[in-house]
Amino acid sequence: MRENGISMWFRFAIEPVEQQRPLSVHHGKRTWTVDRDKSRIYKQKLHALASNEYKGKPFEEAIKVELTFYRDIQKSVSKKEYQRRLNNAVLPTVKPDTDNYIKSTLDALTGVLWADDNIITDIVARKRYSDDPHVFIKITPMTEGDGGA
């Protein structure tokens, strides 16, 4: 965790995982949904990493969250293409979608970094390639007057 008096940022050494469609579980007349294993395990690990890193009280007022998801570079590309992706000359326009990364990550960090993700009023999200997959998060408290267009 880093803090500059206004914002704080975190780097979590975990490969981002997208929110997957939930499984429907039927038992008699009751039906409910549960996370698939991949999403559930990611959320649990990220939650634990954040809990170990941040000992403060979760944010309860309006915040802006910036997320950068550094995903692994595919093994099937040439050395030249690998380097281009590493240098951000080629951006990851492949699945999973950025919004699915956002959902799983916001859910995982609820209760640790923020009390509830409904306090997030602004989101900036990026998806990039890296040979060191991780999730970078910057949180900035919003103050009155920040609501401009």
Side-chain angles (χ1 to χ4, degrees):
M1 176 190 76
R2 302 248 190 263
E3 189 172 358
N4 67 5
I6 299 172
S7 299
M8 62 176 57
W9 51 95
F10 302 86
R11 182 189 188 282
F12 297 114
I14 186 171
E15 184 160 5
V17 172
E18 73 278 12
Q19 178 65 47
Q20 300 171 312
R21 294 200 186 278
L23 289 171
S24 290
V25 178
H26 306 282
H27 186 70
K29 293 183 180 184
R30 296 188 59 212
T31 301
W32 61 94
T33 59
V34 294
D35 274 337
R36 293 181 184 268
D37 287 346
K38 187 176 176 184
S39 295
R40 181 180 48 78
I41 292 168
Y42 169 74
K43 289 178 184 180
Q44 289 171 345
K45 286 182 178 179
L46 183 56
H47 188 91
L49 286 170
S51 295
N52 288 335
E53 179 76 19
Y54 181 63
K55 302 298 185 192
K57 184 178 176 194
F59 285 90
E60 294 180 345
E61 301 295 327
I63 56 173
K64 173 182 178 180
V65 175
E66 296 178 55
L67 304 155
T68 307
F69 303 101
Y70 292 92
R71 54 170 289 161
D72 215 359
I73 300 170
Q74 297 90 332
K75 305 294 183 217
S76 60
V77 299
S78 68
K79 288 181 182 179
K80 182 177 179 181
E81 181 62 19
Y82 186 93
Q83 197 58 46
R84 290 182 69 224
R85 292 177 185 204
L86 195 57
N87 294 334
N88 289 317
V90 175
L91 297 175
T93 57
V94 296
K95 294 203 178 279
D97 300 346
T98 306
D99 63 321
N100 291 328
Y101 281 144
I102 294 168
K103 181 66 179 150
S104 62
T105 301
L106 295 184
D107 286 351
L109 298 173
T110 295
V112 179
L113 299 183
W114 40 80
D116 193 301
D117 55 6
N118 65 353
I119 68 164
I120 301 170
T121 61
D122 296 63
I123 294 179
V124 176
R126 298 170 199 85
K127 176 170 72 165
R128 298 291 187 264
Y129 286 119
S130 176
D131 57 1
D132 178 25
H134 61 281
V135 177
F136 179 84
I137 298 170
K138 180 180 176 185
I139 303 170
T140 305
M142 301 295 283
T143 58
E144 296 213 14
D146 285 345

